[in-house]
Amino acid sequence: MKKRVIILGSTGSIGQNTLDVLAALTKEWDVVGLAAGSRSVELAQQANAWRPEAIALTNTEAGRSLHDALDYAPNVHTGNHALYKLVNETDCDCVISAVVGTDGLPATLRAVELGRRLALANKEALVIAGSLMMPLAKETGATIIPVDSEHSAIFQALHTGKAEEVTRVVLTASGGPFRTWSIEDMAKASLKDALAHPTWDMGPKISIDSATMMNKALEIIEAHWLFDLDPNKIEVVIHPESIIHSMVEFCDGSVMAQLGAPDMRTPIQYALTYPARKKGPARRLDLTASITLRLEVPDETRFPALALGHEVAHRGGTAGAVLNAANEAAVQLFRDARIRFTDITTLTQQALQDHCFVADPTMQDILEADRWARTEVTRCTTC
Ligand code: NDP
Ligand code: MG
């Protein structure tokens, strides 16, 4: 019997790469649900090609034009709860969570509640609500498999030893487009500069997160929750070639690394086929060419966002929700040309410092902290 998969965020960078992977796995997988935010034309085109039984679009206005663009009659969900309804009402084996930002949280949590396999790209969901999501997965038996390339690498390397034998986990970071820039130059950086990632082709929000290195801070927190790791055991190194996707060091001194071309189709496919491996469309490393693999110590003075990852992983509670929401709001302000590039991290740091911390939060506390941080960041830029 074919397995059934829902893709949340199908029109985005991860979503499109997922469909590319699934095109080579049509004998094993049926796409039964596709979901996006507002790009109705792209969603309808994907639906017409893949024929899922249900689709979802959050933006109600854009949703009105969906029916006209469809050449068959799937169940259509629109509005704020559309993705949640799609996951709730469509039977499936696996949910690919690839929405960007906090908006992916309710549907992602519902997939965990229903005990589905969750292929998780939406790292923000774990950063915000890892304290609720991981125990819930244990309770329902949901398997969470990382799509993020670093976490996929760690997930694979961890299989070579026992949890108590791990001495440290080393997340690699490309360093982004500003790896060699001064703080003064970064303060003047344009949106185009920030979006010009040297090794990965990704959506705009994560590209800007990579430029500030906030992405690595989010990934420290993601690794902490996913693998139940003490934050002190998580380190970051700069690896400009993006070939070593991350490493795990064991107590005997062995370091297990996963290597590959910088192509998200590899970790996406592994999240779908695990524990099996299949031939797929991802680019290969040319191991006959001479390859240089550099490792550099990150510079926390030029990239202060990095330190926030450890701080928030240690604090737990509502700190993750505040970090994530403040960063999302600040990234949007930068995209709207209302703040400088370097203000993104400053505003996020300020929100973290000022917020009313809750150590053992409920979902209500988390959503409240998220709302507060967004308002606070916007208020700080207008006062
Ligand atoms: P994109 O911006 O390319 O795509 C985002 C997707 O989310 C789109 O399908 C978009 O729909 C959808 N979306 C946005 N807002 C909503 C909403 N309110 N309701 C429903 N759907 C919504 O992002 P990426 O694919 O780059 O990133 C997705 C996630 O994966 C992020 O969490 C990112 O951190 C993570 N990730 C991405 C990597 C990459 O290589 N791109 C690598 C590792 C992790 P629409 O098109 O209609 O706007
Ligand atoms: Mg990553």
Side-chain angles (χ1 to χ4, degrees):
M1 248 214 341
K2 283 210 217 173
K3 291 193 184 135
R4 298 161 59 87
V5 61
I6 293 175
I7 308 171
L8 306 175
S10 61
T11 51
S13 161
I14 292 287
Q16 291 176 42
N17 275 312
T18 304
L19 287 173
D20 208 13
V21 165
L22 285 164
L25 296 173
T26 48
K27 283 199 184 116
E28 287 137 79
W29 288 93
D30 261 338
V31 174
V32 296
L34 293 173
S38 56
R39 283 191 283 178
S40 58
V41 174
E42 287 82 352
L43 181 65
Q45 278 167 355
Q46 289 182 337
N48 290 337
W50 286 86
R51 321 301 277 187
E53 58 195 50
I55 60 174
L57 195 73
T58 300
N59 187 311
T60 314
E61 192 57 40
R64 287 193 231 290
S65 56
L66 254 184
H67 289 280
D68 292 340
L70 289 165
D71 63 14
Y72 74 117
N75 291 329
V76 177
H77 305 282
T78 57
N80 279 339
H81 305 295
L83 273 62
Y84 181 94
K85 284 192 206 148
L86 175 73
V87 171
N88 195 42
E89 294 170 22
T90 316
D91 185 33
C92 73
D93 300 285
C94 177
V95 173
I96 313 268
S97 171
V99 167
V100 61
T102 312
D103 293 343
L105 181 62
T108 303
L109 269 178
R110 186 63 188 146
V112 174
E113 227 163 34
L114 291 170
R116 309 290 194 225
R117 170 179 291 208
L118 178 69
L120 185 68
N122 179 224
K123 65 189 90 181
E124 294 94 337
L126 263 188
V127 170
I128 306 163
S131 63
L132 304 179
M133 198 188 293
M134 295 315 290
L136 184 64
K138 240 185 203 154
E139 203 181 301
T140 63
T143 321
I144 304 181
I145 319 260
V147 164
D148 216 349
S149 57
E150 296 78 0
H151 303 72
S152 176
I154 295 165
F155 180 73
Q156 294 176 60
L158 284 173
H159 279 77
T160 63
K162 298 198 182 102
E164 61 273 22
E165 294 164 352
V166 173
T167 43
R168 60 183 167 148
V169 157
V170 183
L171 290 166
T172 51
S174 70
F178 304 142
R179 182 172 64 88
T180 57
W181 287 38
S182 67
I183 295 180
E184 294 72 30
D185 286 344
M186 278 193 264
K188 290 182 256 164
S190 69
L191 178 59
K192 193 165 164 241
D193 294 328
L195 292 175
H197 198 280
T199 49
W200 294 99
D201 182 13
M202 309 182 286
K205 194 260 179 180
I206 186 174
S207 296
I208 295 169
D209 286 348
S210 298
T212 55
M213 292 202 68
M214 188 67 81
N215 184 48
K216 221 39 63 176
L218 300 178
E219 289 184 354
I220 290 171
I221 305 161
E222 182 185 9
H224 161 63
W225 287 119
L226 264 181
F227 307 119
D228 193 20
L229 281 169
D230 178 340
N232 293 325
K233 286 189 178 175
I234 308 173
E235 295 177 15
V236 173
V237 293
I238 305 295
H239 169 49
E241 291 79 21
S242 302
I243 286 175
I244 305 171
H245 296 307
S246 278
M247 303 176 258
V248 175
E249 184 195 70
F250 290 95
C251 52
D252 60 355
S254 281
V255 177
M256 302 304 292
Q258 187 255 349
L259 281 68
D263 187 330
M264 284 309 294
R265 291 173 298 185
T266 306
I268 292 169
Q269 178 171 305
Y270 191 62
L272 278 164
T273 63
Y274 169 80
R277 292 185 189 270
K278 302 271 172 185
K279 229 172 149 183
R283 291 196 308 277
R284 304 292 147 125
L285 273 185
D286 180 359
L287 293 167
T288 59
S290 78
I291 300 178
T292 305
L293 299 176
R294 286 170 292 174
L295 298 177
E296 299 166 0
V297 177
D299 180 347
E300 289 195 0
T301 311
R302 284 186 305 121
F303 296 100
L306 254 183
L308 302 181
H310 280 110
E311 179 188 324
V312 168
H314 277 293
R315 286 178 79 187
T318 40
V322 169
L323 173 84
N324 179 69
N327 177 57
E328 270 186 43
V331 166
Q332 192 54 53
L333 289 169
F334 172 67
R335 289 173 74 180
D336 296 342
R338 290 179 54 198
I339 60 171
R340 294 174 308 169
F341 176 76
T342 42
D343 295 333
I344 298 173
T345 304
T346 313
L347 287 166
T348 307
Q349 278 171 321
Q350 194 61 47
L352 261 180
Q353 197 179 308
D354 294 347
H355 101 277
C356 197
F357 180 71
V358 180
D360 193 12
T362 60
M363 184 50 86
Q364 194 57 33
D365 297 325
I366 285 172
L367 295 177
E368 181 50 40
D370 177 288
R371 258 193 303 273
W372 174 85
R374 284 169 205 276
T375 314
E376 186 63 10
V377 164
T378 313
R379 190 186 66 76
C380 285
T381 52
T382 49
C383 58

